[in-house]
Amino acid sequence: MTDTHTTHDALEDARNNDIKIYVNGDIVHRDDAKVSVYDSGFMLGDGMWEGMRLYDGVWSFFDDHMDRFFDSCKAVSLDVGMDRAGIMEALTATARANDMHTDVHCRLMLTRGVKVKPFQHPSLSRSGPTLVIIMEHSKPADALQSKGIRLATVPQVRGLPMAQDAKYNSHSKLNCVIACLQAEQAGADEGLMLDPHGFVNTTNACNFFIVRKGAVWTSTGDYCMNGVTRQKVIDLCHANDIPVFEKNFSLYEAYGADEAFLTGTFGAQTPVAEIDGKPIGDGHRPVTARIRDLYKDLITQDIQAQSAAV
Ligand SMILES: Cc1ncc(COP(=O)(O)O)c(C=O)c1O
């Protein structure tokens, strides 16, 4: 066994062995949750997904996730077949069937559905989309907060938006999977990906930030996932007088950063311990800790606001 960590390391929870999964309106035991081998998602990675978290009965930042999801589906002419209230109903029914209330992670997946022939053309998907919702009891492993994650810069880059725009949270994540494999084979946990010009962009599964002299830097956003957590961190910095810059920077500045952290719905903010074997800072992470606290408060505010709205 290697000592690999991922930004999605969660505490073991035996209840997940018996979860129920939503498949096109049916909610069934995970062993019975199946999609066709003709499904566009299986065959081509032709689908979109969202990762969301449930805290105190509220899906955090639901509207932000739905904005991205519906924009992505529209951009690839994938008819969701319901509005965001319908998605919320499906989420609520799945959570209820599983008796889940808090510290839950969900992967909501929509594909172009079952094809009549095993070929690429979207018109071969004729029976409507496939919607699957997997919900698991999930608490990020604490060890990552103290230990931090190890990154390796990888040869696989983020492409230009006219190839496959990184803003699509598509089922096909091969670009990211290749980057992750390269990082693992270099002895790291996750891959740090550059943009086509060589500037530091993002990791294979999270957005990437550095802290230099009290200021927070992240990429321009041109080649990375438009992360909900990324935007929340940028907004929190603006609202709390923490200097924040969306700008091009190179590995030179990343290696010499005082702190670095990743953002994503699952782990919120995960500290980076090293990049390409070089330790980042001296292990003190006051800015990351402050942003983490602000983000926790923001989730609480969101729970209150969404609860008050129903
Ligand atoms: C490649 C990539 N980057 C970043 C993120 C983080 O996005 P979010 O903060 O919306 O979870 C994700 C999550 O889906 C992702 O797949």
Side-chain angles (χ1 to χ4, degrees):
M1 275 267 289
T2 57
D3 190 25
T4 302
H5 296 280
T6 79
T7 42
H8 295 84
D9 280 355
L11 301 175
E12 285 300 319
D13 192 323
R15 290 174 297 174
N16 290 329
N17 297 334
D18 279 311
I19 49 170
K20 295 192 177 75
I21 293 176
Y22 177 105
V23 185
N24 271 346
D26 295 328
I27 301 178
V28 295
H29 189 273
R30 60 182 293 166
D31 294 345
D32 302 317
K34 307 244 167 28
V35 294
S36 165
V37 292
Y38 278 81
D39 194 90
S40 313
F42 175 74
M43 226 172 239
L44 301 160
D46 183 3
M48 296 291 168
W49 63 275
E50 280 297 318
M52 290 181 283
R53 287 189 73 82
L54 184 71
Y55 294 110
D56 292 340
V58 169
W59 290 101
S60 276
F61 313 128
F62 178 73
D63 281 336
D64 302 274
H65 284 283
M66 288 301 103
D67 287 348
R68 180 171 67 192
F69 181 65
F70 277 87
D71 280 353
S72 299
C73 291
K74 181 172 183 191
V76 299
S77 304
L78 174 50
D79 183 1
V80 180
M82 59 178 81
D83 58 11
R84 59 180 73 193
I87 297 282
M88 180 57 100
E89 256 176 54
L91 288 170
T92 306
T94 312
R96 195 182 305 121
N98 282 292
D99 196 21
M100 289 176 170
H101 307 280
T102 200
D103 290 319
V104 174
H105 196 87
C106 122
R107 194 173 180 107
L108 172 99
M109 296 168 274
L110 186 85
T111 78
R112 208 177 294 280
V114 178
K115 296 182 109 57
V116 291
K117 292 262 170 212
F119 301 113
Q120 186 198 99
H121 204 291
S123 68
L124 296 170
S125 303
R126 297 192 185 145
S127 45
T130 304
L131 180 63
V132 172
I133 301 173
I134 301 178
M135 280 181 196
E136 292 195 341
H137 298 283
S138 146
K139 271 191 176 176
D142 289 337
L144 277 184
Q145 280 307 315
S146 45
K147 240 179 148 185
I149 204 100
R150 297 166 307 170
L151 299 181
T153 315
V154 292
Q156 190 76 8
V157 299
R158 285 285 155 153
L160 292 162
M162 69 278 213
Q164 184 167 330
D165 197 328
K167 293 186 174 56
Y168 289 129
N169 214 4
S170 57
H171 277 221
S172 168
K173 286 273 178 187
L174 197 54
N175 189 40
C176 301
V177 172
I178 292 169
C180 192
L181 280 170
Q182 291 169 340
E184 198 179 25
Q185 284 153 3
D189 305 315
E190 191 154 323
L192 182 60
M193 301 175 78
L194 308 180
D195 73 16
H197 312 288
F199 296 113
V200 174
N201 193 258
T202 189
T203 75
N204 55 273
C206 293
N207 292 113
F208 178 74
F209 289 74
I210 60 172
V211 179
R212 291 179 63 93
K213 299 192 193 312
V216 172
W217 298 16
T218 193
S219 68
T220 59
D222 286 344
Y223 303 98
C224 63
M225 170 64 61
N226 45 344
V228 171
T229 324
R230 173 186 189 272
Q231 192 58 50
K232 297 295 175 199
V233 165
I234 293 168
D235 295 347
L236 281 172
C237 288
H238 284 305
N240 291 279
D241 295 327
I242 302 170
V244 58
F245 302 102
E246 291 175 74
K247 58 184 277 181
N248 287 324
F249 60 92
S250 68
L251 282 171
Y252 174 84
E253 284 126 338
Y255 292 146
D258 303 317
E259 302 171 44
F261 61 91
L262 310 183
T263 65
T265 294
F266 175 83
Q269 294 77 33
T270 306
V272 174
E274 59 176 62
I275 304 174
D276 297 332
K278 302 178 211 318
I280 300 304
D282 61 5
H284 291 98
R285 301 170 181 134
V287 178
T288 310
R290 181 159 177 231
I291 290 172
R292 219 175 142 74
D293 287 345
L294 290 167
Y295 184 78
K296 269 192 199 148
D297 290 347
L298 189 69
I299 287 183
T300 307
Q301 289 161 28
D302 184 53
I303 294 169
Q304 285 161 357
Q306 287 199 56
S307 303
V310 285

